[in-house]
Amino acid sequence: MASSSYSNSPCAACKFLRRKCMPDCNFAQYFPPEEPQKFANVHKIFGASNVSKLLNEVQPHQREDAVNSLAYEAEARIKDPVYGCVGAISVLQRQVIRLQKELDATNADLIRYIPNNNTQDGRRIVGEGGEGSSSLNQGFYYPFSLE
Amino acid sequence: MASSSYSNSPCAACKFLRRKCMPDCNFAQYFPPEEPQKFANVHKIFGASNVSKLLNEVQPHQREDAVNSLAYEAEARIKDPVYGCVGAISVLQRQVIRLQKELDATNADLIRYIPNNNTQDGRRIVGEGGEGSSSLNQGFYYPFSLE
């Protein structure tokens, strides 16, 4: 778990909000003073109050991951105000679709050349619509055109 | 561009905020009254004021995309308060890495079986470290372990 390396300095959140950082500060362990931009970003995008509410909604052992994912989203939104990290989802979805098509085409080629559809290391070749293709139906799909 | 189908109804934002929806309302065209949850979600995660500021930062023709990506992020965060849509990025990144490995292995098999490294349809086979692998170095990498 992250903690401030300057125990006498206020955390980045309290410094940003110009308030005294008390020993029981909810933000201190997630927003150390040496990372001021991390809090500035989540404050700009989500607001300190929403971040505090969200931290109270999750288990203590999940709070560091929650803060880090919020910081990631906030930074992405500041870099790209229109799409934020949803832009990354769209890029990755296109990458998955392209790789799956390439894999299907390559497997189809292999099937033509290898007699019993088993490679030398024993892998079973799967053509279009096989196991490999099913990965397109898993996970996430961002439904808006981001072109 | 989305617009309310009930011109006499207040938009979902004004209804939620219990205020009169004026003809120049900034939210009306993006939050029609028939989609009340869309505004409720972005209000809970980002706050109405932050959404309004963000809309003013982007060009008018980009505002619908911005609202839709905010709505997507907000819904993902409500469903998964710890990782939000960053969880989707992590899943997709793993999918890309797995597909790229499969493709590299399949191309390596093809190279063993096809004499001049060209398939019947003229595609050039690329082994590990070739063109295909370069896609791993493009785009995004979420740096936290989400296991």
Side-chain angles (χ1 to χ4, degrees):
Chain A
M1 199 173 274
S3 64
S4 167
S5 57
Y6 309 107
S7 55
N8 290 327
S9 300
C11 75
C14 290
K15 195 168 180 190
F16 187 96
L17 299 170
R18 297 180 186 202
R19 65 183 191 188
K20 192 167 164 58
C21 192
M22 306 298 281
D24 63 345
C25 172
N26 286 337
F27 287 135
Q29 66 189 104
Y30 312 114
F31 297 105
E34 60 270 29
E35 292 182 69
Q37 202 56 46
K38 186 179 179 187
F39 184 78
N41 289 350
V42 299
H43 180 266
K44 178 176 163 65
I45 300 301
F46 298 101
S49 160
N50 283 342
V51 173
S52 181
K53 274 186 220 157
L54 197 124
L55 287 182
N56 286 330
E57 276 176 27
V58 305
Q59 297 293 313
H61 71 278
Q62 298 176 308
R63 286 179 190 156
E64 191 174 3
D65 279 353
V67 165
N68 287 337
S69 71
L70 287 170
Y72 182 88
E73 268 186 70
E75 191 182 345
R77 180 64 62 179
I78 287 165
K79 284 181 180 164
D80 179 353
V82 180
Y83 298 113
C85 76
V86 176
I89 291 177
S90 178
V91 168
L92 284 163
Q93 281 175 336
R94 285 198 292 264
Q95 223 170 346
V96 165
I97 289 167
R98 182 182 59 74
L99 283 168
Q100 187 64 60
K101 276 186 188 162
E102 276 185 53
L103 186 61
D104 287 343
T106 310
N107 275 325
D109 288 332
L110 259 189
I111 286 167
R112 281 191 215 109
Y113 288 94
I114 302 180
N116 58 1
N117 292 359
N118 281 301
T119 62
Q120 284 172 353
D121 60 0
R123 282 185 305 113
R124 176 94 185 148
I125 304 165
V126 181
E128 287 187 55
E131 284 171 28
S133 299
S134 69
S135 60
L136 283 180
N137 301 322
Q138 293 167 358
F140 301 87
Y141 182 66
Y142 182 67
F144 312 109
S145 166
L146 298 178
E147 301 294 349
Chain B
M1 200 173 273
S3 64
S4 167
S5 57
Y6 308 109
S7 55
N8 291 327
S9 300
C11 76
C14 290
K15 195 168 180 190
F16 187 96
L17 299 170
R18 296 180 187 203
R19 67 185 189 187
K20 193 167 163 62
C21 193
M22 305 297 281
D24 62 346
C25 171
N26 286 336
F27 288 134
Q29 66 189 104
Y30 312 114
F31 297 105
E34 60 270 30
E35 292 183 68
Q37 202 56 47
K38 186 179 178 186
F39 184 78
N41 289 350
V42 299
H43 180 264
K44 178 177 163 65
I45 300 302
F46 298 100
S49 161
N50 283 341
V51 173
S52 181
K53 273 186 221 156
L54 196 124
L55 287 183
N56 287 330
E57 277 176 26
V58 304
Q59 296 294 314
H61 72 277
Q62 297 177 309
R63 286 180 189 154
E64 190 173 4
D65 279 354
V67 165
N68 287 337
S69 71
L70 287 170
Y72 182 87
E73 268 186 71
E75 192 181 344
R77 180 64 61 180
I78 287 165
K79 284 181 181 164
D80 180 352
V82 180
Y83 297 113
C85 76
V86 177
I89 291 176
S90 178
V91 167
L92 285 163
Q93 280 175 336
R94 285 197 292 264
Q95 222 169 347
V96 165
I97 289 166
R98 182 182 60 74
L99 284 168
Q100 187 63 60
K101 277 186 186 162
E102 276 184 54
L103 185 60
D104 286 344
T106 309
N107 275 327
D109 288 331
L110 259 189
I111 286 167
R112 280 190 216 111
Y113 288 94
I114 303 180
N116 57 2
N117 292 0
N118 282 300
T119 62
Q120 284 172 354
D121 60 1
R123 282 186 305 112
R124 176 94 184 148
I125 303 165
V126 181
E128 285 188 58
E131 286 171 27
S133 299
S134 69
S135 60
L136 282 181
N137 300 323
Q138 293 168 358
F140 301 86
Y141 181 67
Y142 181 68
F144 313 109
S145 167
L146 298 178
E147 302 294 349

